[in-house]
Amino acid sequence: AQTSTATIMGPCISVGYIASIHDVLSRAVKCARSTGWKVKVIPDDFHIDMRNGESPSKVQKVDYEYEYLCQDSEKLPLEVRDSDGGIVAYIDALGDDEEEPWVSVKCVSQKAVKVMEEHLKSLFLIVQVSHIQRKVKFSTKGYQLTATTGGDALRTFFELKQAGTNKVVAKASCAYQNEATGFAGPTLEHIETAKEFQHQGLGTSLLDSIMEFYRGMFVRILSTQKDVRMYATAVSSSGAFEWFQERGFRDDYGTGEELSISLNEETAASEAPYIIRQCMGSTHEGTRCTVTSENTSFEADPLCFGVSKFCLKCRDKRSEA
């Protein structure tokens, strides 16, 4: 296991084109070496064919390293070592060449964090993801939300408990890369509310708190022209798909399985899907109620605001039954 203090991550500062993974890694290696630390990119058992048995020049070595990274990025992460040979950081990349990849540097000490941040910030829009447990603001009284970040495969785990108890009433886990699509960014892999606490709005409040948590984390990137998206991956049911869509997530591929929302609130509002909801109730004749969220009558209010699948009239009928 890799003992670590924080991970520094973020996209390249715009240079007129979208950098590839190999560009990202090469720049990060250059930054690490500028500190006086060492990064071995090409392993000793990798053969470099040089004419006349000559040793490669510095320029040739950089070219060979780039070529090696293009061919074999599966060798990641790259170890960064200090002058004593101790590991101080691990260089990796998030995302793929389909979308803008991010650098990811996992540091083993606060000293390494400070040094790497100082050298990376001229080339990358970086944020620091500390490997700690912290309290997160939660809107509903009587509950406490914590976020715990860490692990070799970096994740943040959110736990919502009743105040003053250890009873977990809702939880979620987020990665920092969507494995299904290859995109970099906070990725919601799991979210659930305990059965006895469902239908009280806790799941929605938890999602809102998670999004606000990441808006704060990625504020430096969001303050530029670059977007940061939060992904919901492997959505497994139509009910879960509708739940996310009603909260502003868009269906990225039309499959109902991979959704995302911008952490920029203005962008998210402009992208929010317009959903027409029809009442799930029945008339006296046994046919489907025709009231929808497009109706202008007050009966449609619960549908318009997403608080119920029934119009006021049908909801009242169900409560009387």
Coordinates of all heavy atoms in Angstrom, one line a residue, residues 250-308:
R250 N -27.4 15.0 -16.9 CA -27.8 14.7 -18.3 C -27.3 13.3 -18.6 O -26.3 12.8 -18.1 CB -27.2 15.8 -19.2 CG -25.7 15.6 -19.4 CD -25.1 16.6 -20.3 NE -23.7 16.3 -20.7 CZ -22.9 17.1 -21.3 NH1 -23.3 18.3 -21.7 NH2 -21.6 16.7 -21.6
D251 N -28.0 12.7 -19.5 CA -27.7 11.4 -20.0 C -26.6 11.6 -21.1 O -27.0 12.0 -22.3 CB -28.9 10.7 -20.6 CG -28.7 9.3 -21.0 OD1 -27.6 8.8 -20.9 OD2 -29.7 8.6 -21.4
D252 N -25.4 11.2 -20.9 CA -24.3 11.6 -21.8 C -24.3 10.8 -23.1 O -23.8 11.2 -24.1 CB -22.9 11.4 -21.1 CG -22.7 12.5 -20.0 OD1 -23.2 13.6 -20.2 OD2 -22.0 12.2 -19.1
Y253 N -24.8 9.5 -23.0 CA -24.7 8.6 -24.2 C -26.1 8.1 -24.6 O -26.1 7.3 -25.5 CB -23.7 7.5 -23.9 CG -22.3 7.9 -23.6 CD1 -21.9 8.1 -22.3 CD2 -21.5 8.3 -24.6 CE1 -20.6 8.5 -22.0 CE2 -20.2 8.7 -24.4 CZ -19.8 8.8 -23.0 OH -18.5 9.3 -22.8
G254 N -27.1 8.5 -24.0 CA -28.4 8.0 -24.3 C -28.7 6.6 -23.9 O -29.7 6.0 -24.3
T255 N -27.9 6.1 -23.0 CA -28.1 4.7 -22.5 C -28.7 4.6 -21.2 O -29.2 3.5 -20.7 CB -26.7 3.9 -22.4 OG1 -25.9 4.6 -21.5 CG2 -26.0 4.0 -23.8
G256 N -28.8 5.8 -20.5 CA -29.4 5.8 -19.1 C -28.4 5.2 -18.1 O -28.9 5.0 -16.9
E257 N -27.2 5.0 -18.4 CA -26.2 4.4 -17.5 C -25.1 5.3 -17.0 O -24.6 5.2 -15.9 CB -25.6 3.1 -18.1 CG -26.6 2.0 -18.4 CD -26.0 0.8 -19.0 OE1 -24.8 0.9 -19.3 OE2 -26.7 -0.2 -19.2
E258 N -24.7 6.3 -17.9 CA -23.6 7.2 -17.6 C -24.2 8.6 -17.7 O -24.5 9.1 -18.8 CB -22.5 7.0 -18.6 CG -21.8 5.6 -18.5 CD -21.2 5.3 -17.2 OE1 -20.7 6.2 -16.5 OE2 -21.3 4.1 -16.8
L259 N -24.2 9.3 -16.5 CA -24.8 10.6 -16.5 C -23.8 11.6 -15.9 O -22.8 11.2 -15.3 CB -26.1 10.7 -15.6 CG -27.3 9.9 -16.1 CD1 -27.2 8.4 -15.8 CD2 -28.6 10.5 -15.5
S260 N -24.0 12.9 -16.1 CA -23.0 13.9 -15.6 C -23.7 15.2 -15.4 O -24.8 15.5 -16.0 CB -21.8 14.0 -16.4 OG -22.1 14.7 -17.6
I261 N -23.1 16.0 -14.5 CA -23.6 17.4 -14.3 C -22.4 18.3 -14.1 O -21.4 17.9 -13.5 CB -24.5 17.4 -13.1 CG1 -25.2 18.8 -13.0 CG2 -23.8 17.1 -11.8 CD1 -26.3 18.9 -11.9
S262 N -22.4 19.5 -14.6 CA -21.4 20.4 -14.4 C -21.4 21.0 -13.0 O -22.5 21.2 -12.4 CB -21.5 21.6 -15.4 OG -20.6 22.6 -15.1
L263 N -20.2 21.1 -12.4 CA -20.1 21.7 -11.1 C -20.2 23.2 -11.1 O -20.3 23.9 -10.1 CB -18.8 21.3 -10.4 CG -18.8 19.8 -10.0 CD1 -17.4 19.4 -9.3 CD2 -19.9 19.4 -9.0
N264 N -20.2 23.8 -12.4 CA -20.5 25.2 -12.5 C -22.0 25.3 -12.6 O -22.7 24.8 -13.5 CB -19.9 25.7 -13.9 CG -20.1 27.2 -14.1 OD1 -21.2 27.6 -14.1 ND2 -19.0 27.9 -14.4
E265 N -22.5 26.0 -11.6 CA -24.0 26.0 -11.4 C -24.7 26.7 -12.6 O -25.8 26.2 -13.0 CB -24.4 26.8 -10.1 CG -23.9 26.0 -8.9 CD -24.3 26.7 -7.6 OE1 -23.5 27.5 -7.1 OE2 -25.4 26.4 -7.1
E266 N -24.1 27.7 -13.2 CA -24.7 28.3 -14.4 C -24.8 27.3 -15.6 O -25.8 27.2 -16.3 CB -24.0 29.6 -14.8 CG -24.2 30.7 -13.8 CD -23.5 32.0 -14.3 OE1 -23.0 32.0 -15.4 OE2 -23.5 33.0 -13.5
T267 N -23.7 26.6 -15.8 CA -23.6 25.6 -16.9 C -24.6 24.5 -16.6 O -25.3 24.1 -17.5 CB -22.2 25.1 -17.0 OG1 -21.3 26.1 -17.2 CG2 -22.1 24.1 -18.1
A268 N -24.7 24.1 -15.4 CA -25.6 23.0 -15.0 C -27.0 23.4 -15.3 O -27.8 22.6 -15.8 CB -25.4 22.6 -13.6
A269 N -27.4 24.6 -14.9 CA -28.7 25.1 -15.1 C -29.1 25.2 -16.6 O -30.2 24.8 -17.0 CB -28.9 26.5 -14.5
S270 N -28.1 25.6 -17.4 CA -28.4 25.7 -18.9 C -28.5 24.3 -19.5 O -29.1 24.1 -20.6 CB -27.3 26.5 -19.6 OG -26.1 25.8 -19.6
E271 N -27.9 23.3 -18.9 CA -27.9 21.9 -19.5 C -29.0 21.0 -18.9 O -29.2 20.0 -19.5 CB -26.5 21.2 -19.2 CG -25.4 21.8 -19.9 CD -24.1 21.0 -19.6 OE1 -24.1 20.3 -18.6 OE2 -23.1 21.3 -20.3
A272 N -29.6 21.5 -17.8 CA -30.6 20.6 -17.1 C -31.7 20.1 -18.1 O -32.3 20.9 -18.8 CB -31.2 21.4 -16.0
P273 N -31.9 18.8 -18.1 CA -32.9 18.3 -19.0 C -34.3 18.8 -18.6 O -34.6 18.8 -17.4 CB -32.8 16.8 -18.8 CG -32.2 16.6 -17.5 CD -31.3 17.8 -17.3
Y274 N -35.1 19.1 -19.6 CA -36.5 19.5 -19.4 C -37.4 18.2 -19.3 O -37.5 17.6 -20.4 CB -37.0 20.5 -20.4 CG -38.5 20.9 -20.2 CD1 -38.8 21.6 -19.1 CD2 -39.4 20.5 -21.1 CE1 -40.1 22.0 -18.8 CE2 -40.8 20.9 -20.9 CZ -41.1 21.6 -19.7 OH -42.4 22.0 -19.5
I275 N -37.9 17.9 -18.2 CA -38.6 16.7 -18.0 C -40.1 17.0 -17.8 O -40.5 17.7 -17.0 CB -38.1 15.9 -16.8 CG1 -36.6 15.7 -16.9 CG2 -38.8 14.6 -16.6 CD1 -35.9 15.2 -15.6
I276 N -40.9 16.3 -18.7 CA -42.4 16.4 -18.5 C -42.8 15.2 -17.7 O -42.6 14.1 -18.1 CB -43.1 16.4 -19.9 CG1 -42.6 17.7 -20.7 CG2 -44.6 16.5 -19.7 CD1 -43.2 17.7 -22.1
R277 N -43.4 15.4 -16.5 CA -43.8 14.3 -15.7 C -45.3 14.2 -15.7 O -46.1 15.2 -15.5 CB -43.4 14.6 -14.2 CG -41.9 14.8 -14.1 CD -41.5 15.1 -12.6 NE -40.1 15.4 -12.5 CZ -39.5 16.6 -12.6 NH1 -40.3 17.6 -12.9 NH2 -38.2 16.7 -12.5
Q278 N -45.8 13.0 -16.0 CA -47.2 12.7 -16.0 C -47.6 12.0 -14.7 O -46.9 11.2 -14.2 CB -47.6 11.8 -17.2 CG -49.2 11.6 -17.3 CD -49.6 10.8 -18.5 OE1 -48.8 10.6 -19.4 NE2 -50.8 10.4 -18.6
C279 N -48.8 12.4 -14.2 CA -49.3 11.9 -12.9 C -49.4 10.3 -13.1 O -49.8 9.8 -14.1 CB -50.6 12.5 -12.6 SG -51.4 11.8 -11.1
M280 N -49.0 9.6 -12.0 CA -49.1 8.2 -12.0 C -50.4 7.6 -11.5 O -50.6 6.4 -11.4 CB -47.9 7.6 -11.1 CG -46.5 8.0 -11.6 SD -46.1 7.2 -13.2 CE -46.0 5.5 -12.7
G281 N -51.3 8.6 -11.2 CA -52.6 8.1 -10.7 C -53.6 7.7 -11.7 O -53.3 7.7 -12.9
S282 N -54.8 7.2 -11.3 CA -55.8 6.7 -12.2 C -57.1 7.5 -12.0 O -57.4 8.0 -10.9 CB -56.0 5.2 -12.0 OG -54.9 4.5 -12.2
T283 N -57.9 7.6 -13.1 CA -59.2 8.2 -13.0 C -60.2 7.2 -12.5 O -59.9 6.0 -12.3 CB -59.7 8.7 -14.4 OG1 -59.8 7.6 -15.3 CG2 -58.6 9.6 -15.0
H284 N -61.5 7.6 -12.3 CA -62.6 6.7 -11.8 C -62.8 5.6 -12.9 O -63.3 4.5 -12.6 CB -63.8 7.5 -11.5 CG -63.7 8.4 -10.3 ND1 -63.5 7.9 -9.1 CD2 -63.8 9.7 -10.2 CE1 -63.5 8.9 -8.2 NE2 -63.6 10.0 -8.9
E285 N -62.5 5.9 -14.2 CA -62.8 5.0 -15.2 C -61.6 4.0 -15.4 O -61.7 3.1 -16.2 CB -62.9 5.7 -16.6 CG -64.2 6.6 -16.7 CD -64.1 7.9 -15.9 OE1 -63.0 8.3 -15.7 OE2 -65.2 8.4 -15.5
G286 N -60.6 4.2 -14.6 CA -59.4 3.3 -14.6 C -58.4 3.6 -15.6 O -57.4 2.9 -15.8
T287 N -58.5 4.8 -16.2 CA -57.4 5.2 -17.2 C -56.4 6.1 -16.5 O -56.7 6.6 -15.4 CB -58.1 6.0 -18.3 OG1 -58.8 7.1 -17.8 CG2 -59.0 5.1 -19.1
R288 N -55.3 6.2 -17.1 CA -54.2 7.0 -16.5 C -54.6 8.5 -16.4 O -55.2 9.1 -17.4 CB -52.9 6.9 -17.4 CG -51.7 7.7 -17.0 CD -50.8 7.0 -16.0 NE -49.6 7.8 -15.8 CZ -48.4 7.7 -16.4 NH1 -48.3 6.8 -17.4 NH2 -47.4 8.4 -16.1
C289 N -54.3 9.1 -15.3 CA -54.6 10.5 -15.1 C -53.8 11.3 -16.1 O -52.6 11.0 -16.4 CB -54.2 11.0 -13.7 SG -54.4 12.7 -13.4
T290 N -54.4 12.3 -16.7 CA -53.7 13.1 -17.8 C -53.0 14.4 -17.4 O -52.4 15.1 -18.2 CB -54.8 13.5 -18.9 OG1 -55.8 14.3 -18.2 CG2 -55.4 12.3 -19.5
V291 N -53.0 14.6 -16.1 CA -52.4 15.8 -15.6 C -50.8 15.7 -15.7 O -50.3 14.6 -15.3 CB -52.7 16.1 -14.1 CG1 -51.9 17.3 -13.5 CG2 -54.2 16.4 -14.0
T292 N -50.2 16.6 -16.2 CA -48.7 16.6 -16.4 C -48.1 17.9 -15.8 O -48.8 18.8 -15.4 CB -48.3 16.5 -17.9 OG1 -48.5 17.8 -18.5 CG2 -49.0 15.4 -18.6
S293 N -46.8 17.9 -15.7 CA -46.1 19.0 -15.1 C -46.2 20.3 -16.0 O -45.8 21.4 -15.6 CB -44.6 18.7 -14.9 OG -44.0 18.2 -16.1
E294 N -46.7 20.1 -17.2 CA -46.9 21.3 -18.1 C -48.3 22.0 -17.8 O -48.5 23.1 -18.3 CB -46.9 20.8 -19.6 CG -45.5 20.5 -20.1 CD -45.4 20.4 -21.6 OE1 -46.3 19.6 -22.1 OE2 -44.6 21.0 -22.2
N295 N -49.1 21.3 -17.1 CA -50.4 21.9 -16.7 C -50.2 23.2 -15.9 O -49.3 23.2 -15.1 CB -51.3 21.0 -15.9 CG -51.9 19.9 -16.8 OD1 -51.1 19.1 -17.4 ND2 -53.2 19.8 -16.9
T296 N -51.0 24.2 -16.1 CA -50.9 25.4 -15.3 C -51.7 25.4 -14.1 O -51.6 26.4 -13.3 CB -51.3 26.6 -16.2 OG1 -52.7 26.4 -16.7 CG2 -50.4 26.8 -17.4
S297 N -52.5 24.4 -13.8 CA -53.4 24.4 -12.6 C -52.5 24.0 -11.4 O -51.5 23.4 -11.5 CB -54.5 23.4 -12.8 OG -54.0 22.0 -12.8
F298 N -53.0 24.4 -10.2 CA -52.3 24.2 -9.0 C -52.2 22.7 -8.7 O -51.3 22.2 -8.0 CB -53.0 24.9 -7.8 CG -54.3 24.3 -7.4 CD1 -54.4 23.3 -6.4 CD2 -55.5 24.6 -8.1 CE1 -55.6 22.7 -6.0 CE2 -56.7 24.0 -7.7 CZ -56.7 23.1 -6.7
E299 N -53.1 21.9 -9.3 CA -53.1 20.4 -9.1 C -51.8 19.8 -9.6 O -51.3 18.7 -9.1 CB -54.2 19.7 -9.9 CG -55.6 20.0 -9.3 CD -56.7 19.3 -10.0 OE1 -56.4 18.9 -11.2 OE2 -57.8 19.2 -9.5
A300 N -51.1 20.5 -10.5 CA -49.9 19.9 -11.1 C -48.6 20.3 -10.3 O -47.5 19.8 -10.6 CB -49.7 20.4 -12.5
D301 N -48.8 21.1 -9.3 CA -47.6 21.6 -8.5 C -46.7 20.5 -8.0 O -45.4 20.6 -8.2 CB -48.1 22.5 -7.3 CG -48.5 23.9 -7.8 OD1 -48.4 24.2 -9.0 OD2 -49.0 24.6 -6.9
P302 N -47.1 19.4 -7.4 CA -46.2 18.4 -7.0 C -45.4 17.8 -8.1 O -44.2 17.4 -7.9 CB -47.1 17.3 -6.4 CG -48.4 18.0 -6.0 CD -48.5 19.1 -7.1
L303 N -46.0 17.7 -9.3 CA -45.2 17.2 -10.5 C -44.2 18.2 -11.0 O -43.1 17.9 -11.3 CB -46.2 16.9 -11.6 CG -47.3 15.8 -11.3 CD1 -48.3 15.8 -12.5 CD2 -46.7 14.5 -11.1
C304 N -44.6 19.5 -11.0 CA -43.7 20.5 -11.4 C -42.4 20.6 -10.6 O -41.3 20.9 -11.1 CB -44.4 21.9 -11.4 SG -45.8 22.0 -12.6
F305 N -42.6 20.5 -9.3 CA -41.4 20.6 -8.4 C -40.8 19.3 -8.0 O -39.8 19.3 -7.2 CB -41.9 21.4 -7.1 CG -42.4 22.8 -7.4 CD1 -43.7 23.1 -7.3 CD2 -41.5 23.8 -7.8 CE1 -44.2 24.4 -7.6 CE2 -42.0 25.0 -8.1 CZ -43.3 25.3 -8.0
G306 N -41.2 18.2 -8.6 CA -40.6 16.9 -8.4 C -40.7 16.3 -7.0 O -39.9 15.5 -6.7
V307 N -41.7 16.8 -6.3 CA -41.9 16.3 -4.9 C -42.8 15.1 -4.8 O -42.9 14.4 -3.8 CB -42.4 17.4 -4.0 CG1 -41.5 18.5 -3.9 CG2 -43.8 17.9 -4.4
S308 N -43.5 14.8 -5.9 CA -44.4 13.6 -5.9 C -44.6 13.2 -7.4 O -44.4 13.9 -8.3 CB -45.7 14.0 -5.3 OG -46.7 12.9 -5.4

